[in-house]
Amino acid sequence: MFFLINILGIFIVMAVIFLCSPQKRTVKWRPILSLFAVELLVTWFMLGTKIGGAVINLIASFFSWLIGCASEGIAFAFPSVMSNETVDFFFSALLPIIFVVTFFDILAYFGILTWLIDKIGWVISKVSQLPKLESFFSIQMMFLGNTEALAVIRQQLAVLKDNRLLTFGIMSMSSISGSIIGSYLTMVPATYVFTAIPLNCLNALILASILNPVEVKKEEDIIYVPPKEEKKDFFSTISNSMLVGMNMVIVILAMVIGYVALTSCVNGMLGLIMDGLTIQKIFSYIFSPFAFLLGLPVHDAMYVAQLMGMKLATNEFVAMMDLKTQLASISPHTAAVATTFLTSFANFSTIGMIYGTYNSLFNGEKSAIIGKNVWKLLVSGMAVSLLSAGIVGLFVW
C-alpha cells in the first residue's frame, strides 16, 4: 500500500506544480517525460545495480579522501581538537570546506571541471530538448553551488530577458555545492546524497519548464567560456579559493547559530501561548500530508515533516544533524526519502542569497524579478526535493 501511495505522491506533486503554473498552455510535456524517464533510469542504476553501488562507493571514497586531506590541515592548526574521539561540527563538517573549495577551483583552473560540465550539459540538452544554457547551468550549480554558478555565467545572464532570468533563479533553489558534500557525508548516508544530486539537477529543469516555460531562439542558445585574459595565475587562484572557502564556513556557521537560536526564541514565545508548542510541531502538521505521500507510516511521516519544516525555516545542516541521531531507529525507506529531501539548499535564506547575487551582478531592475516571484522559487525548491525523495523512495523499502 505504501508503495502505491509513493507513486501517487509523485503524480500529486506534479499536479500541484502544474496548477501553480501561470502559463499552463505553453508547458511542453515531451521533454518533461523524457527527463522523468532518465531520472528513473539513473535512480535504478544507482540504487538497484551492483555497478551503480560500486560507482557510489567510489565517489564516496573520493570525497572521504578529500575530507581526510582536509583533516590533515585542520589537525595541523588544531591538533588537540582533532585528537579527540568526538570532533565538533565546526571542525568535522565546516572547516573541510576550505580545502574542498580549493580542490574544485583547481579542477576548474585546468579546465577539467569545465569540460565535464559542458559535456554532461550537452547530453542533458539533447535528451530534454531544453536550451543548452539551462542544461549547462543545472550541471554547473550541482558542482559549484547556485551563487558561484550564477557568477560564472554572469555575462550571458546580463543580456537575457527577465522571463528567462527567472528560470535561473527558480533552478538555483535546487542546487547543492560540491564543496558541501563532504559535510553532508559526516551526517547522513552517502548513497542517498549522491543519488539526490543528479535527481535535483533534472528535477530543477522539470520544475522550471512547468513554472516558467520560455521559448529560446537558436542564436540565443549559447554557452559562455571565460576569455584567457580573465584567468589569474595559479597561486592567486588557489589563495583566493581558500579565502572564499573560509568565507563560506563563516556564513554557514553564522546561519546555523543564528537560525537555531532564532528557532529556540520562537519556540519560547510559542510555549507561552500553548505548553509544548514549537515551530517544528507546527511545520510537522503543515508538511505531514506531503510526507505521507512519500509512502511513510503516520509516525515516520510526522518526523520527516518536522525535518522538512526544520530545513525550510533554518537550513539542511540543522535538519541533517537531527536526522543523524535517528538513523539507527528508522526504516531504510524513511532514511532514504528524508536524506534525499534534505540534500538541497531549498530554504528561506537561499532566496535571500539568490536575490543578493542578482543584485550584485546586475542592476536593481533585473534583481526585482526574484523579489516579485519569491513564491515560485520557494514552491520550486520544495517540489524538487519532494520529487527527488519520491523517486528514490520507489527503490528503497
Side-chain angles (χ1 to χ4, degrees), residues 146-147 150 251 255 345 348-358:
N146 45 17
T147 55
L150 287 168
V251 169
M255 288 193 296
F345 289 164
F348 286 118
S349 59
T350 299
I351 295 175
M353 290 172 61
I354 295 170
Y355 179 84
T357 301
Y358 270 57

Side-chain angles (χ1 to χ4, degrees), residues 65-79 82:
W65 172 74
L66 282 184
I67 298 302
C69 294
S71 296
E72 290 290 327
I74 299 167
F76 179 81
F78 303 98
M82 296 302 289

Side-chain angles (χ1 to χ4, degrees), residues 186-200:
T186 64
M187 296 178 282
V188 293
T191 299
Y192 307 128
V193 171
F194 289 118
T195 304
I197 292 171
L199 293 186
N200 288 344

Side-chain angles (χ1 to χ4, degrees), residues 6-7 10-11 14 29-43 127-128 199 202-203 206 387-388 390-391 394-395:
N6 197 152
I7 295 176
I10 293 172
F11 284 101
M14 290 292 290
W29 288 103
R30 186 176 177 182
I32 292 172
L33 293 174
S34 298
L35 285 173
F36 191 74
V38 171
E39 286 186 307
L40 291 175
L41 184 62
V42 167
T43 309
V127 171
S128 66
L199 293 186
L202 297 173
N203 280 323
I206 290 175
L387 284 176
S388 296
I391 291 170
L394 295 175
F395 295 85

Side-chain angles (χ1 to χ4, degrees), residues 75-342:
F76 179 81
F78 303 98
S80 60
V81 172
M82 296 302 289
S83 63
N84 296 332
E85 290 186 12
T86 304
V87 181
D88 292 338
F89 173 75
F90 176 73
F91 297 98
S92 64
L94 294 188
L95 284 184
I97 290 173
I98 298 171
F99 172 68
V100 179
V101 167
T102 305
F103 182 84
F104 272 86
D105 280 357
I106 291 172
L107 293 183
Y109 181 87
F110 289 109
I112 298 170
L113 186 62
T114 307
W115 183 85
L116 284 172
I117 291 170
D118 183 40
K119 298 309 177 186
I120 298 173
W122 179 84
V123 171
I124 292 179
S125 176
K126 290 296 182 182
V127 171
S128 66
Q129 301 175 15
L130 293 171
K132 292 178 185 176
L133 187 58
E134 279 81 343
S135 301
F136 171 85
F137 180 74
S138 70
I139 297 297
Q140 190 177 42
M141 69 177 181
M142 182 172 73
F143 288 97
L144 304 179
N146 45 17
T147 55
E148 295 90 340
L150 287 168
V152 168
I153 60 169
R154 60 192 178 278
Q155 293 188 6
Q156 287 190 61
L157 293 177
V159 298
L160 296 183
K161 296 178 181 178
D162 284 356
N163 62 341
R164 201 169 171 202
L165 270 180
L166 178 58
T167 295
F168 289 91
I170 290 172
M171 291 174 63
S172 296
M173 287 294 292
S174 306
S175 75
I176 66 165
S177 170
S179 60
I180 302 294
I181 294 174
S183 302
Y184 290 171
L185 301 187
T186 64
M187 296 178 282
V188 293
T191 299
Y192 307 128
V193 171
F194 289 118
T195 304
I197 292 171
L199 293 186
N200 288 344
C201 156
L202 297 173
N203 280 323
L205 287 169
I206 290 175
L207 268 293
S209 299
I210 297 175
L211 286 174
N212 190 51
V214 293
E215 286 286 343
V216 179
K217 296 179 181 179
K218 190 174 182 179
E219 59 270 20
E220 296 175 346
D221 191 13
I222 54 175
I223 297 295
Y224 170 69
V225 178
K228 290 183 178 180
E229 53 268 24
E230 282 191 12
K231 200 172 185 178
K232 298 180 180 179
D233 64 271
F234 179 74
F235 288 101
S236 295
T237 299
I238 62 174
S239 298
N240 183 66
S241 298
M242 293 170 189
L243 293 176
V244 169
M246 190 65 214
N247 184 62
M248 288 179 68
V249 169
I250 294 171
V251 169
I252 294 171
L253 181 65
M255 288 193 296
V256 169
I257 293 173
Y259 278 112
V260 170
L262 184 60
T263 301
S264 178
C265 177
V266 172
N267 286 342
M269 295 178 183
L270 292 173
L272 296 175
I273 301 172
M274 182 185 296
D275 185 45
L277 181 64
T278 64
I279 193 169
Q280 289 91 335
K281 284 188 176 180
I282 293 173
F283 277 128
S284 71
Y285 286 105
I286 294 174
F287 290 105
S288 57
F290 294 101
F292 181 74
L293 289 172
L294 293 175
L296 298 170
V298 175
H299 179 270
D300 286 4
M302 293 302 290
Y303 174 63
V304 173
Q306 182 175 314
L307 292 177
M308 291 176 177
M310 201 180 294
K311 174 189 175 182
L312 181 62
T314 56
N315 56 52
E316 75 280 5
F317 281 99
V318 178
M320 282 182 177
M321 284 189 285
D322 190 288
L323 176 60
K324 181 181 179 179
T325 65
Q326 303 296 322
L327 285 173
S329 60
I330 58 179
S331 70
H333 179 76
T334 302
V337 298
T339 301
T340 304
F341 182 90
L342 296 180

